[in-house]
Every structure is written in C-alpha cells, then in structure tokens.
Amino acid sequence: MGKSIPDHGDITPVLNSLEGAQERLAEAVAEQLDAVDRLLVVGGGHEATYGSHCGLRRHVGDQVVGVINIDAHFDLRDPYATGGNSGTAFSQIHADTPTGQWQYLVLGLAAESNSDALFDRASQIGAEWVSDVALQTGLSATVQDQIDQFVAASEVVHLSIDLDVLPRDQAPGVSAPAERGVPMPVVEALIDHIVDAARHCPGGLRLVDIVELNPTFDSKQMTARSAAVLASQVLGA
Ligand SMILES: [Mn+2]
C-alpha cells in the first residue's frame, strides 16, 4: 500500500491463562505507546481489548479515555468467577475506570444480538450506542454530532473494531456473522470521522484494536482483506 508500518511482533499466549496473555499484551502496549503515536493491536478475540486497554491506561495515567467500540455487540457481560472472556472486555474496563471518567460509545449495535439484560446494563452504566439500522446509508448529522461530543469529552481515544459489525458476506470469518451488519463504506466513514474528531482531542487516537477474525471460517480471506483495508485507514492511509 506504499507505506512502511513497523510490526512489533506477536504476544506469546500463556497456557490456560487468558489473564496471563492479557497482561503480556498490556505490558507490550504500554511499552510501545512510549514510542509511537498510534498503535494497532490485531486480535485474537475481543478479549484482546481488555489487555490493550490496560496497557493504554498504564501509559496515560488518570486521563479520561473515551472508548469507542464499532461492534454489533455491547460486550458488557460480567466476568465469571473464573475470569473474563470475549464478551466481558468492556465490563472489565468499566470496573477499572475511575468514577466519573467512564466514556463508552458503541457504533453498529444489532438489537437482535443483545439481550434485554445487556440493554439494561448499558443504560444503567451510562453507555451510549448507535444501532446498525441507523448506519445503513451513511453518517447522519446526528451521529456525527454524537461522535464529536463524545470525543470532545475525552482526553484520549481508544477505538476497538469488531469485524462482526460488517455484513456476513463482507466478514464471514467471525464467530457471530451479522445478518444485517453495517456496510463497509459506512464503517470506513465512521473511522474517518473518528480519526478527524480525535485530532481535536488532546491525547488523540492512540490505540486501535481490530478483533474477532477466525481464519478457519474466513472464506477466500474476505474478512482478513476487509480488516487490512480498515487497518490501513486507521494507520493514516
Ligand atoms: Mn461483536
């Protein structure tokens, strides 16, 4: 794509310990953020986001981190007593966030893929969201304003992109392919808008995750190719 992007390598998993792997990721992210303006973490499942967020938190101290999740799901389930999973990352981030600093915006939420209990929890803890239905034909002025206000209230932005927000034909290689999904050009427009809005935020857009690709189910590498286009965009294409 005509540009050079340094690859900081892989995180070696810790046998039977998701928390161990998340800790290794957190350490790597905190270290790399000293050296780069924007870091991209490629998952893995959405559990990677908890590790990467912990790394960002170590780097930025008590700054207000606005967490934007482009995803069909809230991923606000409570961890089991034995630990977290791919559906609990944002609940764990919420638990770690200092009182009054929680900022969480989900873009592309599919109503039929989230339980009433999750909607209740999202409302209770002050999450914001925009449905996939509202994102079928582009970004309305309302959605643009919502993103702008969200970013303006943040000191630094963490963007997480779950590939299952895309329509099933665009991203077949995920564990929960979407029946409707948000069309690829609209996801690109969302990312563009977030990148632009974050220029006015003191800390900027420092951390991006792209998650939930499962190569075993990725017919013709469509999901990986879609992810590559989005990765190129967030890294300043
Ligand atoms: Mn998801």
Side-chain angles (χ1 to χ4, degrees):
M1 291 177 177
K3 57 184 170 287
S4 159
I5 297 170
D7 178 358
H8 299 290
D10 295 331
I11 302 301
T12 312
V14 179
L15 190 64
N16 294 329
S17 171
L18 178 58
E19 288 71 23
Q22 286 169 324
E23 175 55 28
R24 285 188 179 177
L25 177 58
E27 285 167 13
V29 165
E31 186 188 327
Q32 296 300 341
L33 282 171
D34 288 335
V36 300
D37 290 336
R38 184 168 300 160
L39 188 65
L40 172 68
V41 172
V42 179
H46 223 152
E47 68 282 349
T49 293
Y50 182 59
S52 64
H53 187 87
C54 289
L56 176 64
R57 177 56 73 193
R58 281 173 211 175
H59 183 77
V60 302
D62 61 1
Q63 288 185 48
V64 178
V65 180
V67 179
I68 302 179
N69 183 23
I70 303 181
D71 191 347
H73 307 98
F74 281 120
D75 286 353
L76 278 173
R77 292 180 197 283
D78 279 327
Y80 299 125
T82 49
N85 56 60
S86 65
T88 64
F90 299 93
S91 187
Q92 292 173 279
I93 292 170
H94 174 253
D96 289 356
T97 301
T99 313
Q101 294 197 1
W102 167 247
Q103 282 259 95
Y104 182 43
L105 170 62
V106 185
L107 300 169
L109 193 87
E112 63 276 10
S113 304
N114 294 268
S115 65
D116 289 348
L118 283 171
F119 274 97
D120 288 347
R121 173 143 172 87
S123 300
Q124 236 170 42
I125 63 175
E128 298 180 41
W129 64 89
V130 176
S131 76
D132 57 350
V133 174
L135 292 168
Q136 289 303 302
T137 57
L139 266 59
S140 65
T142 312
V143 171
Q144 293 185 32
D145 284 351
Q146 189 172 357
I147 293 170
D148 292 347
Q149 285 176 28
F150 181 90
V151 171
S154 311
E155 289 174 282
V156 57
V157 177
H158 174 187
L159 172 63
S160 189
I161 302 170
D162 185 331
L163 294 164
D164 74 20
V165 77
L166 292 165
R168 147 189 315 268
D169 291 346
Q170 184 82 49
V174 295
S175 55
E179 282 69 37
R180 183 182 307 105
V182 178
M184 182 79 167
V186 181
V187 172
E188 293 174 275
L190 279 172
I191 292 171
D192 254 349
H193 195 84
I194 292 162
V195 166
D196 273 351
R199 288 189 223 280
H200 307 291
C201 161
L205 173 60
R206 296 299 307 281
L207 177 65
V208 181
D209 319 299
I210 297 185
V211 297
E212 288 286 322
L213 168 61
N214 184 336
T216 306
F217 297 100
D218 195 14
S219 169
K220 297 179 180 168
Q221 295 190 305
M222 189 61 187
T223 318
R225 288 168 177 276
S226 303
V229 170
L230 300 181
S232 172
Q233 192 188 4
V234 293
L235 290 173

